[in-house]
């Protein structure tokens, strides 16, 4: 396979070949054919992204260690964590659904944050080692299945539902989940996988920028 | 645009599905590997619509039990009351929380049905090589990829209600099989959207 010049891209949505120009700060390149966003101009984005990822990791640990809400009725007190929701479903026999909740709410976000952290650190000084490519693929897949923002809304609905039956108070974990939802959204909006790939060492050592066509 | 827009396929170059690098195939026969990321490069799917249709049909089949089977059952000393997704919508509406009723209705009914119908529409029009409303169809596809996950809402609601309402023997809530089918609908529609190649919309252009 012979690589083409690096600044020519094919739109992933409509296949149109085009050159992405250097973008001004805050500028956006859109495909003229289908309207898909192709690139953002963000100088210093990698430092900002790293700060977001570190914050997301801290908030993730908090969201999973702390109780989400506590309720009391008839002299009993109950509280739950994110995994507590999955554990109770598992105990009540809905095992597949319990595993899916754990996967979408805990495992996928954790893999996403860890992979992104490693990618952002490793691409600071290009060319990044080959394993960064593997992590970029992990980040893409885990990002697709990470549903913290959906869980956040689910928690709020559950809170209202439960408030009819018992007195319920939100705890630290709930606020942490809310913050995590925002941090993850900011991460996936600000990250440019194409740019990250351009910093990874090529699989075909002989190829690379030197032999690019035109 | 007669003669066609300058696309990668027409220029004889292939974008890598993993890292996006464009390269020119070294020989007429594959398999090729991407010089940058080392992944295998497929030119295009051979039967591009089959997988997506299969996922759509499977999701539509799961949608029925997802809405008719209870997603949870409330048990008290006196009674046992199963509730479905629609039951939850009605419950919130009647108790005055029309806003929450609306959120659940949108997430659990309108989004999955809309996603299924829209995907079927995209597949059907693309299969007929329609060139009408290409930009709108491309936009619809991007929207579908973003909103599908919100249908998992009720699964999370059930998980947390079940985890917290455990006051045996006075009142407890157990999850129902409807949850499983509901999660299946969400996963299958995500797979369906993922297996559709939006470039097909433009191939006839
Ligand atoms: Zn495009
Ligand atoms: Zn590649």
């Amino acid at each position: 396979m012979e690589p083409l010049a690096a600044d020519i891209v094919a739109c992933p949505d409509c296949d149109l070949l085009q050159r992405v120009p250097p973008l001004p700060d805050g500028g956006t390149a859109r495909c003229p054919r289908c309207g898909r966003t192709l690139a953002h101009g963000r100088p210093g984005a990698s430092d900002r992204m790293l700060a977001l990822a570190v914050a997301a990791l801290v908030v993730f640990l908090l969201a999973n260690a702390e109780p989400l809400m506590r309720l009391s009725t008839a002299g009993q007190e109950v509280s739950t964590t994110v995994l507590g929701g999955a554990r109770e479903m598992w105990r009540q026999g809905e095992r597949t659904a319990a595993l899916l909740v754990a996967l979408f709410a805990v495992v996928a976000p954790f893999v996403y944050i860890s992979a992104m952290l490693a990618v952002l650190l490793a691409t600071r000084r290009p060319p990044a080692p080959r394993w960064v490519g593997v992590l970029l693929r992990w980040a893409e897949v885990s990002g697709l299945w990470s549903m913290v923002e959906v869980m956040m809304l689910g928690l709020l609905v559950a809170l209202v539902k439960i408030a009819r039956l018992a007195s319920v108070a939100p705890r630290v974990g709930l606020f942490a989940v809310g913050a995590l939802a925002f941090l993850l959204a900011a991460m996936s909006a600000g990250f440019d996988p194409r740019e990250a790939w351009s910093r990874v060492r090529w699989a075909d050592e002989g190829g690379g920028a030197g032999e690019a066509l035109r | 645009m007669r003669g066609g827009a300058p696309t990668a396929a027409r220029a004889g170059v292939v974008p890598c599905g993993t890292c996006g690098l464009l390269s020119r195939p070294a020989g007429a026969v594959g398999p090729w590997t991407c010089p940058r990321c080392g992944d295998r490069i497929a030119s295009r799917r051979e039967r591009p619509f089959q997988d997506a249709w299969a996922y759509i049909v499977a999701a539509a089949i799961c949608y029925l039990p997802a809405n008719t089977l209870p997603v949870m059952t409330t048990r008290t000393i006196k009674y046992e009351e199963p509730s479905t997704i629609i039951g939850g919508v009605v419950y919130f509406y009647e108790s005055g929380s029309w806003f929450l009723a609306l959120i659940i209705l949108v997430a659990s009914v309108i989004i999955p049905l809309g996603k299924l119908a829209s995907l079927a529409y995209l597949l059907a029009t693309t299969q007929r090589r329609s060139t009408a409303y290409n930009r709108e169809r491309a936009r619809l596809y991007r929207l579908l990829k973003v909103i599908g996950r919100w249908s998992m809402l009720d699964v999370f609601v059930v998980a947390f209600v079940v985890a917290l309402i455990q006051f045996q023997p006075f009142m407890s809530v157990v999850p129902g099989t409807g949850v499983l089918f509901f999660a299946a609908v969400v996963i299958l529609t995500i797979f369906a959207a993922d297996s559709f190649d939006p470039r097909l919309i433009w191939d006839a252009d």
Side-chain angles (χ1 to χ4, degrees), chain A residues 41-61:
Chain A
R42 286 199 194 87
S46 106
D47 282 345
R48 220 172 318 159
M49 288 299 299
L50 194 59
L52 280 175
V54 172
L57 184 65
V58 173
V59 172
F60 173 87
L61 295 175

Side-chain angles (χ1 to χ4, degrees), chain A residues 143-167:
Chain A
L144 181 67
W145 297 106
S146 146
M147 301 190 185
V148 173
E149 75 282 29
V150 183
M151 173 174 72
M152 179 65 212
L153 189 60
L155 272 168
L156 293 180
V157 174
L159 196 71
V160 175
K161 217 163 188 161
I162 292 166
R164 304 267 164 86
L165 307 166
S167 75

Side-chain angles (χ1 to χ4, degrees), chain B residues 9-22:
Chain B
R10 284 173 189 137
V13 288
V14 190
C16 168
T18 303
C19 74
L21 182 79
L22 284 166

Side-chain angles (χ1 to χ4, degrees), chain B residues 19 21 23 29 41 64 93 146 151 157 167 183:
Chain B
C19 74
L21 182 79
S23 45
V29 279
I41 298 184
L64 197 68
Y93 183 76
V146 178
S151 305
V157 173
F167 300 106

Side-chain angles (χ1 to χ4, degrees), chain B residues 40-205:
Chain B
R40 180 177 280 212
I41 298 184
S43 53
R44 288 285 185 97
R45 282 167 189 271
E46 267 174 41
R47 288 166 302 193
F49 300 103
Q50 218 167 36
D51 292 358
W53 277 122
Y55 287 127
I56 288 178
V57 170
I61 291 170
C62 288
Y63 189 73
L64 197 68
N67 277 281
T68 49
L69 292 176
V71 288
M72 58 183 174
T73 302
T74 310
R75 284 192 187 139
T76 67
I77 301 171
K78 281 180 239 146
Y79 63 91
E80 189 163 298
E81 192 192 1
S83 61
T84 58
I85 297 260
I86 299 290
V89 175
V90 171
Y91 167 81
F92 274 125
Y93 183 76
E94 284 180 343
S95 56
S97 306
W98 62 268
F99 186 64
L100 278 182
L102 187 67
I103 287 179
I104 298 179
L105 186 72
V106 169
S108 308
V109 182
I110 296 177
I111 288 181
L113 283 182
K115 191 172 176 186
L116 281 176
S118 308
L119 275 172
Y121 162 76
L122 284 179
L123 282 167
T125 50
T126 307
Q127 241 168 337
R128 284 195 291 107
R129 300 185 62 77
S130 161
T131 55
Y133 307 113
N134 276 358
R135 270 186 97 90
E136 287 73 17
R137 287 191 291 146
R139 207 172 299 149
L140 177 64
Y141 176 72
R142 287 196 285 270
L143 179 70
L144 293 181
K145 288 196 81 160
V146 178
I147 62 169
R149 55 209 287 111
W150 287 96
S151 305
M152 277 298 283
L153 180 70
D154 233 68
V155 178
F156 286 115
V157 173
V158 170
F160 292 115
V161 170
V162 166
L164 283 162
I165 305 295
Q166 296 296 338
F167 300 106
Q168 275 91 2
F170 310 108
M171 178 184 256
S172 63
V173 177
V174 292
T177 318
V179 170
L180 184 60
F181 283 100
F182 217 87
V185 172
V186 181
I187 292 168
L188 287 167
T189 54
I190 288 178
F191 279 143
D194 220 41
S195 64
F196 175 70
D197 185 345
R199 292 176 297 183
L200 292 164
I201 295 176
W202 300 90
D203 277 357
D205 186 28

